[in-house]
Amino acid sequence: MKPTITQVSIDLRDLRAIRILIVSVFAVIALVGCRPSDPVQDVRDQIAAGQHREALEPLRDLIKETPEDMELLFLYGQVLVETGQPGLAEWPLRKAQTDPIWFVRASLLIASVEQTGGNAENAAEIYAKILEAHPDMVNVRIARANVLARSPRLLHEALAEVDRILEMDPQQLSAYKPRILAYLGLNQPDDAERVLLELGARIEADQSE
């Protein structure tokens, strides 16, 4: 059966509509593809993918354009640390540290650099500044206690920090390690053994529940 003129007209209209739709779709794709990328997001993506060296030059260029952008300064410091250049990372991280939004993250990174460099007292001081602003950050207290427990001059302070941690969170098993280290550093092996046995009993009790 041959199609009627009306049917042919409808088919042609449908065909034209489909063609218009196809052209429109390709136009949208082309438009999206031509949109300029966000260079800051590109850097974030590189860092998330572990491409720290590749992110260095773009970050330098972006900081030249906006030298007071605290996120860029923090990311630059982070990338410098990750690429084995902690000395160069200090100035961007110190600057980012002045911004309340980036204060904690920048301070934690600076403290880790100090700790890696063997500067336990500097790291402990940075952790203390974080705790002045955020006293309930147990993870920072644990990090500080561990740093203090490795410094011969700060062992009693380490024990005090552990007491504060367990007062805030009695179930915090991570607090036992710096307590044991501090007692060993104070040449109190009996106390260290007592805490170790207590830790073992706590772990066993948790596993049996």
Side-chain angles (χ1 to χ4, degrees):
M1 178 179 176
K2 294 183 179 180
T4 64
I5 294 175
T6 302
Q7 288 173 322
V8 171
S9 299
I10 292 173
D11 290 342
L12 289 173
R13 286 199 299 271
D14 290 343
L15 185 58
R16 283 196 294 270
I18 291 170
R19 285 175 176 170
I20 292 171
L21 179 60
I22 292 172
V23 171
S24 299
V25 169
F26 276 105
V28 170
I29 292 173
L31 181 61
V32 171
C34 292
R35 285 178 182 171
S37 62
D38 179 354
V40 178
Q41 186 58 51
D42 290 344
V43 167
R44 294 191 196 107
D45 293 341
Q46 285 180 311
I47 294 172
Q51 299 172 347
H52 299 108
R53 291 194 181 280
E54 292 81 353
L56 277 171
E57 281 304 320
L59 276 168
R60 290 189 184 110
D61 292 339
L62 288 167
I63 290 172
K64 285 179 183 177
E65 295 175 8
T66 52
E68 299 302 317
D69 188 311
M70 297 302 168
E71 180 185 4
L72 292 176
L73 290 166
F74 171 78
L75 293 176
Y76 186 45
Q78 179 185 2
V79 166
L80 287 169
V81 171
E82 293 291 345
T83 55
Q85 305 174 76
L88 295 177
E90 183 171 357
W91 78 262
L93 290 176
R94 291 286 182 186
K95 198 162 184 179
Q97 195 182 27
T98 63
D99 188 301
I101 295 174
W102 295 97
F103 168 70
V104 171
R105 279 173 281 191
S107 297
L108 287 173
L109 198 48
I110 294 169
S112 71
V113 170
E114 294 285 1
Q115 191 172 344
T116 302
N119 301 315
E121 294 186 19
N122 290 348
E125 184 178 348
I126 294 167
Y127 287 132
K129 288 180 180 178
I130 298 174
L131 292 170
E132 286 177 10
H134 305 280
D136 296 331
M137 294 185 72
V138 175
N139 61 322
V140 175
R141 290 197 178 278
I142 292 169
R144 183 169 186 267
N146 278 300
V147 169
L148 292 169
R150 287 175 170 80
S151 176
R153 297 196 302 172
L154 302 173
L155 297 174
H156 289 289
E157 194 173 345
L159 293 173
E161 189 66 83
V162 169
D163 288 340
R164 284 190 287 269
I165 293 167
L166 292 175
E167 184 178 344
M168 294 172 64
D169 183 5
Q171 306 304 316
Q172 186 56 253
L173 298 182
S174 299
Y176 284 82
K177 177 183 174 182
R179 177 174 274 177
I180 293 168
L181 291 175
Y183 278 134
L184 289 174
L186 291 167
N187 197 25
Q188 298 176 224
D190 292 342
D191 288 322
E193 184 178 2
R194 172 181 54 79
V195 175
L196 184 60
L197 291 173
E198 183 181 343
L199 174 59
R202 290 286 304 275
I203 293 173
E204 186 177 348
D206 288 347
Q207 291 176 343
S208 64
E209 290 181 356

